[in-house]
Amino acid sequence: MAKQSLLATDGAEKRPWGVAGPLRLPDDVKAKLSVLYIAKHALAGGAFDIRDGSHAVYHHSIRKVLESIGVRVVADDNFEAIGSTKNINYLFSLLNRADFFNSEVLAATLAERFALPYLGARPILRAVSDDKHFTKLLARDAAVPTPEWSLVHRGVPYDIDTLIGVPAVVKPNNSSASWGLKVCTSIAELKDHIDYLHTEGHDALIERLVPGLDVAVSIIGPGPAWTLPLVIQSIGDDGAVISYEAKRGFAKDIDIRPFEEKAISNELTLATAAICQRLGPFDYGRFDFRVDVKTGRWHFLEANVSCNLAENKAIAKSAAMVDVSHAELVETILVHSLQRNRFLITD
């Protein structure tokens, strides 16, 4: 394959792999790129959904952004489109949290099956990143502080007295958007929620509730990655745990603002890089930390490879802080993904 040049958004210079800054697709690549875009609401009109809330708006908006970039887009809402759709050469999948366990891994697995370049990360890396217990083990291996935690597998007897005590955050070990998350303040409440998650088909992760702000580190590129400005995510009082209802737009909007503690920002950036050395490569992601600015102590919570790309979410808000528009963000991620897939080769 002939080598391609990557142009900065001003068209003035080439940008090599991993350089911090927005990238755009060369016109000749746009002309030959045909994208299969799959998402649960890819074919809907962009209205707020009674079940999925703002996720339906998000799926529609990303389709429009891809079309605005100037590539051919074929939209579908089903995994069966992978391998059956003709004349496409790249998969952009946001079809996560389908109606079966570990559905986040399927799109990448099918793309590998059909030798189709795709967004995100290889299936094994996506599986590890979606397992909160495994990512905490990776963090611990990298000497990155994490809250104490316990894991209770579904179908395995457990002794409540051997687990992390309250107050604790209890959540599915494999889930997104904080579905099933609950702050438990009594042992009875803790046991009830573990049993509820097991009934719903999930392993339960019990994590010590630590004080502080929720700080997000967003990165683009498989490495060396472009680290975007760090942001605080909060709802109501700082320190409150953000719920699924808030993330899907059913409750008060999440407030996203710059995190301006430079010394701690440097520490979180280095911690993220250390985790990524064990987790990558992937095209983009968000790493969540809990930070107590009064004491300077912080803890890694979880990794979100292939995080939410909506214009009002953390990675887009972080990009906007360095004057990168939503469309430029998506196009930059697309360029890095094409590089990782060896579809686009730089000089």
Side-chain angles (χ1 to χ4, degrees), residues 40-240:
K40 184 175 181 180
H41 299 279
L43 302 177
F48 192 88
D49 184 74
I50 191 171
R51 177 182 176 185
D52 295 322
S54 59
H55 226 46
V57 182
Y58 163 46
H59 290 168
H60 178 77
S61 69
I62 293 296
R63 176 181 176 177
K64 292 301 182 184
V65 167
L66 290 172
E67 291 170 347
S68 74
I69 290 171
V71 298
R72 177 175 177 260
V73 178
V74 179
D76 210 305
D77 58 6
N78 198 298
F79 289 113
E80 293 178 0
I82 305 172
S84 64
T85 305
K86 305 299 183 183
N87 301 318
I88 52 99
N89 52 20
Y90 180 81
L91 173 65
F92 194 114
S93 173
L94 299 181
L95 190 50
N96 303 323
R97 295 198 68 226
D99 294 328
F100 57 92
F101 189 60
N102 286 158
S103 58
E104 290 80 3
V105 178
L106 183 56
T109 302
L110 289 172
E112 291 284 355
R113 165 67 179 82
F114 294 105
L116 184 65
Y118 58 95
L119 182 73
R122 288 183 175 178
I124 190 65
L125 291 177
R126 186 64 194 270
V128 170
S129 69
D130 283 353
D131 188 302
K132 296 176 176 62
H133 173 65
F134 282 163
T135 53
K136 287 178 185 296
L137 291 175
L138 290 176
R140 190 167 68 182
D141 181 69
V144 172
T146 66
E148 295 178 275
W149 82 93
S150 300
L151 178 64
V152 182
H153 291 287
R154 177 174 177 256
V156 177
Y158 67 94
D159 181 352
I160 193 73
D161 293 329
T162 66
L163 306 180
I164 297 301
V166 293
V169 178
V170 184
K171 53 191 173 183
N173 189 47
N174 303 86
S175 184
S176 61
S178 295
W179 178 87
L181 180 149
K182 184 179 179 64
V183 178
C184 297
T185 57
S186 72
I187 295 299
E189 191 177 28
L190 182 69
K191 185 178 188 309
D192 284 348
H193 198 59
I194 291 171
D195 293 344
Y196 165 73
L197 293 178
H198 286 177
T199 300
E200 292 293 311
H202 292 271
D203 296 335
L205 187 87
I206 303 96
E207 178 183 82
R208 179 81 69 190
L209 179 63
V210 293
L213 303 170
D214 289 322
V215 177
V217 182
S218 298
I219 61 174
I220 302 172
W226 176 19
T227 303
L228 295 168
L230 278 60
V231 295
I232 299 167
Q233 301 186 92
S234 66
I235 180 167
D237 296 332
D238 285 342

Side-chain angles (χ1 to χ4, degrees), residues 136 139 144-148 167-171 178 181-184 207-217 230-243 247 254-255 257 259 261 264-265 267-269 271-272 275 286-304:
K136 287 178 185 296
V144 172
T146 66
E148 295 178 275
V169 178
V170 184
K171 53 191 173 183
S178 295
L181 180 149
K182 184 179 179 64
V183 178
C184 297
E207 178 183 82
R208 179 81 69 190
L209 179 63
V210 293
L213 303 170
D214 289 322
V215 177
V217 182
L230 278 60
V231 295
I232 299 167
Q233 301 186 92
S234 66
I235 180 167
D237 296 332
D238 285 342
V241 176
I242 299 174
S243 67
K247 291 186 177 181
I254 300 171
D255 177 49
R257 62 187 190 275
F259 179 67
E261 300 288 337
I264 298 177
S265 293
E267 292 175 6
L268 301 187
T269 300
T272 300
I275 296 170
R286 191 192 74 241
F287 291 74
D288 293 339
F289 294 82
R290 192 82 159 168
V291 179
D292 187 339
V293 294
K294 293 179 181 179
T295 64
R297 296 186 64 189
W298 51 265
H299 297 81
F300 168 73
L301 299 181
E302 62 185 57
N304 293 276

